[in-house]
């Protein structure tokens, strides 16, 4: 594969509550971008349904309904990083998405463990592709939270953020958490990190 063939992906922009697919469909129609593909990413697991529109020869925009995280988001991909980030900014300006500051604030202001855990999952889904100190700090704190529910959902948030610096924290959970299910879940995420090429820093 040549350097020009390498596919890049933008940060996921998490959509606010609303119609979801219809909003993205209208957005793409307004730009005359044709729908080119849709379906389950894994037909057996059926937890990520993706619809793709072509913005031109170098970039595509994707709408994903993620049942595992309980979130819907848009993401751009292509072989030219500068171009795909340009289209990602257009999506962020014209679609009802949470900005990163909103996602961090939701994690900080959550009123109970369930709401905090859900906010951390949402933050993990919307995490920048390069490590962000605010995102890392919230997920790291969640992995050590006194509430089992927060630790549990922070493990899933770690999968989406996929920061190498989360590995030692997940390893600690996998070895030391008082709940066997959470130890097992952390091991599963570490195995997923291995498959994704998320190495220890």
């Amino acid at each position: 594969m040549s350097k020009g063939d390498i596919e890049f992906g933008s940060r996921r922009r998490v959509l606010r509550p609303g119609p979801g697919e219809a909003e993205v469909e209208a957005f793409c129609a307004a730009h005359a971008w044709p729908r080119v593909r849709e379906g389950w990413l894994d037909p057996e697991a059926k937890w990520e349904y993706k619809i793709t529109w072509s913005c031109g020869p170098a970039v595509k925009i994707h709408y994903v309904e993620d049942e595992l995280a309980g979130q819907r988001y848009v993401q751009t991909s292509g072989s030219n990083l500068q171009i795909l980030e340009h289209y990602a900014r257009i999506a962020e300006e014209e679609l009802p998405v949470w900005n990163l500051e909103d996602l961090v604030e939701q994690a900080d202001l959550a009123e109970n463990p369930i709401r905090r855990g859900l906010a951390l999952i949402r933050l993990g889904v919307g995490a920048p592709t390069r490590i962000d100190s605010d995102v890392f700090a919230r997920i790291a704190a969640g992995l050590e939270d006194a509430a089992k529910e927060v630790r549990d959902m922070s493990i899933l948030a770690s999968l989406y953020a996929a920061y190498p610096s989360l590995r030692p924290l997940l390893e600690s959970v996998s070895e030391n958490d008082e709940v066997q299910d959470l130890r097992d879940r952390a091991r599963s995420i570490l195995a997923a990190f291995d498959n994704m090429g998320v190495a220890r820093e």
Side-chain angles (χ1 to χ4, degrees):
M1 177 181 287
S2 68
K3 186 175 180 181
D5 294 330
I6 296 173
E7 188 87 343
F8 299 100
S10 72
R11 176 172 74 82
R12 306 177 194 95
R13 267 67 176 185
V14 182
L15 287 159
R16 295 170 182 261
E21 179 186 341
E23 293 171 312
V24 181
E25 176 74 63
F27 163 70
C28 292
H31 289 276
W33 297 334
R35 184 186 294 219
V36 294
R37 188 180 302 113
E38 68 177 286
W40 297 102
L41 291 183
D42 183 338
E44 293 185 7
K46 289 188 175 181
W47 59 270
E48 283 182 303
Y49 194 82
K50 181 164 78 170
I51 304 172
T52 299
W53 291 262
S54 175
C55 306
V59 66
K60 296 179 178 65
I61 186 166
H62 314 279
Y63 164 76
V64 179
E65 294 183 351
D66 189 318
E67 298 296 332
L68 181 62
Q71 301 297 322
R72 299 166 305 165
Y73 62 85
V74 292
Q75 186 176 33
T76 55
S77 68
S79 57
N80 185 307
L81 187 59
Q82 188 173 16
I83 292 176
L84 77 87
E85 288 294 352
H86 168 72
Y87 281 93
R89 284 192 295 272
I90 294 174
E92 191 166 51
E93 290 168 0
E94 298 185 23
L95 286 170
V97 299
W98 297 109
N99 62 44
L100 187 59
E101 292 76 15
D102 289 332
L103 296 176
V104 171
E105 183 177 51
Q106 289 167 21
D108 289 343
L109 299 181
E111 297 175 352
N112 58 57
I114 297 297
R115 287 182 180 274
R116 184 174 178 213
L118 291 171
L120 287 169
I121 291 174
R122 196 158 48 243
L123 180 60
V125 172
T129 53
R130 293 184 179 179
I131 187 166
D132 178 274
S133 59
D134 288 333
V135 174
F136 172 79
R138 272 67 177 184
I139 295 176
L143 290 169
E144 298 178 343
D145 197 273
K148 168 191 170 184
E149 297 86 353
V150 176
R151 299 199 307 280
D152 190 7
M153 287 187 265
S154 296
I155 293 169
L156 183 57
S158 300
L159 173 65
Y160 286 92
Y163 293 154
S165 51
L166 288 169
R167 283 196 73 110
L169 301 177
L170 287 167
E171 288 166 359
S172 178
V173 174
S174 74
E175 296 168 1
N176 303 314
D177 198 279
E178 61 187 25
V179 180
Q180 180 66 53
D181 284 351
L182 300 194
R183 295 198 299 272
D184 292 342
R185 204 156 296 145
R187 292 189 190 101
S188 297
I189 300 305
L190 287 166
F193 273 17
D194 291 340
N195 291 335
M196 295 160 62
V198 181
R200 179 188 281 270
E201 289 183 322

